[in-house]
Amino acid sequence: MMTPKTDIFGSTIRTFGIAAPASSCKPEELCAGIQVLEQCGIKVITGKHLFRKGTFSYLSADDSFRIDDFNSLAENESVDAIICTRGGYGTPRILEKINYEVLKERNLPVIGFSDITALHLAMLSQNAGRCVASQMVARLPESMLSRTTLSGMKRVYRQLDGTGGTWNKVGRKLVALSGDQTVSGGVIPVNLTLAAALCGTDYMPSMKGRIVIIEEVGEPVRKIDRMLNQLLYSKFFHGAAAVVFAQFTDCGNSAERNRLFLDFADRVNCPVFRGLEYGHALPSLSFLFDEPCRIGDRSLFLQ
């Protein structure tokens, strides 16, 4: 039996399906991202409606077409994983129409972050597929030039193959805001806006025993405050092992934001940290939802 060919990500995934469940990317960005994948030896199958447009300018296509693309790719037996073009907005609109049974049956990886958080949390709540928080198609060319980002992508793709290694320090110099002790749990990386948007829905899984990593982009501190309160009041953080504030890119005054994080740390019943490289700026780490994670000595460790 021949050994499966591997690409520079270190994965035996051979075919990616490309979907745009949220906003669209520019055609030239899509082409550049596809070129990166193909240079890695990966075959690409694109959704039929990536640039169809429709009723709302901020969506890549109307809901029915985005749903059709995603479910068709999920049902395609030749597709080994689905990678999203970008975030933006739109994923929460289609959660009730996703074919979770197919995702569960195939244990299919779905790759993305930001607005894709809504889909990932829904998948987690339905125990369907494998949620991968990592770089999307539109930013692959830039991501490949960031050593830390690329290393993180390689690591998480190895995890998909079940070839994780020993514990490695991937997050350094975390700032402990409360409870500076060693904690462990499955890691759950989320975008703050999308986590808040799912409060009170059937698509919000429990965070009990999990390490919640939070990122955001382009929101003022007062809105971050509002969304954190919404999550607190909805008991989103109930039983969490820890909360880690990651990148808050272009999110107001950093000093005021850090004061808000300290205020939050006083109100939640688990250790809280900040300073992790994950989110909308590069370098950015990658995660497989619920993979084992440990925080100790103000560092984050993954396998």
Side-chain angles (χ1 to χ4, degrees):
M1 182 176 179
M2 293 181 63
T3 302
K5 180 183 176 183
T6 58
D7 54 57
I8 66 169
F9 294 126
S11 169
T12 54
I13 291 175
R14 303 313 319 144
T15 303
F16 275 178
I18 297 181
S23 300
S24 62
C25 64
K26 297 176 181 178
E28 58 268 28
E29 292 176 337
L30 177 65
C31 290
I34 288 175
Q35 185 177 25
V36 168
L37 293 173
E38 291 178 339
Q39 287 174 346
C40 295
I42 295 174
K43 181 180 177 181
V44 168
I45 299 175
T46 59
K48 297 178 181 178
H49 308 294
L50 295 184
F51 297 103
R52 189 179 182 94
K53 299 297 182 184
T55 306
F56 301 108
S57 62
Y58 47 82
L59 300 176
S60 64
D62 284 344
D63 293 351
S64 61
F65 295 116
R66 302 198 323 281
I67 293 163
D68 180 67
D69 272 2
F70 186 89
N71 285 339
S72 295
L73 290 170
E75 294 162 6
N76 187 332
E77 292 289 341
S78 65
V79 170
D80 299 316
I82 293 176
I83 185 169
C84 300
T85 56
R86 57 159 296 191
Y89 174 72
T91 308
R93 294 176 57 97
I94 63 174
L95 295 181
E96 64 181 355
K97 299 295 185 179
I98 295 295
N99 193 334
Y100 297 103
E101 288 303 315
V102 168
L103 292 177
K104 181 184 297 186
E105 180 183 336
R106 300 194 59 210
N107 199 24
L108 194 71
V110 177
I111 303 158
F113 72 104
S114 191
D115 194 70
I116 311 306
T117 289
L119 177 56
H120 281 161
L121 289 175
M123 289 170 59
L124 196 63
S125 73
Q126 305 299 311
N127 191 30
R130 308 184 76 183
C131 308
V132 184
S134 190
Q135 297 301 305
M136 295 175 279
V137 178
R139 202 164 63 161
L140 282 179
E142 183 182 4
S143 300
M144 302 291 281
L145 301 177
S146 168
R147 180 177 299 179
T148 298
T149 304
L150 181 57
S151 176
M153 293 166 67
K154 289 181 178 181
R155 188 199 64 79
V156 83
Y157 278 72
R158 287 195 299 270
Q159 289 290 91
L160 286 175
D161 281 345
T163 54
T166 57
W167 289 97
N168 292 298
K169 185 187 295 186
V170 299
R172 296 168 173 81
K173 299 180 180 179
L174 295 183
V175 177
L177 304 182
S178 67
D180 185 12
Q181 71 246 35
T182 299
V183 295
S184 60
V187 63
I188 306 293
V190 301
N191 173 270
L192 176 60
T193 295
L194 276 301
L198 293 193
C199 284
T201 73
D202 293 334
Y203 301 113
M204 181 63 84
S206 169
M207 293 298 113
K208 186 174 181 179
R210 289 162 161 162
I211 295 175
V212 184
I213 297 174
I214 305 176
E215 63 87 17
E216 188 52 85
V217 60
E219 297 289 356
V221 177
R222 61 182 174 81
K223 290 189 177 181
I224 295 169
D225 188 345
R226 183 188 67 196
M227 290 184 284
L228 287 174
N229 271 292
Q230 184 178 2
L231 290 170
L232 277 167
Y233 292 148
S234 69
K235 302 188 185 307
F236 173 78
F237 298 106
H238 181 70
V243 174
V244 182
F245 290 110
Q247 295 171 356
F248 278 67
T249 308
D250 299 327
C251 287
N253 180 274
S254 60
E256 185 176 40
R257 192 171 66 241
N258 288 338
R259 289 196 297 272
L260 174 62
F261 293 161
L262 278 170
D263 175 77
F264 170 87
D266 287 338
R267 301 172 62 198
V268 70
N269 191 28
C270 67
V272 179
F273 304 84
R274 67 170 174 85
L276 189 68
E277 290 181 328
Y278 168 70
H280 283 74
L282 297 178
S284 179
L285 298 171
S286 293
F287 300 95
L288 178 62
F289 273 52
D290 256 348
E291 66 172 310
C293 176
R294 178 165 54 88
I295 298 176
D297 193 25
R298 302 190 181 185
S299 299
L300 187 142
F301 297 84
L302 297 167
Q303 290 184 319

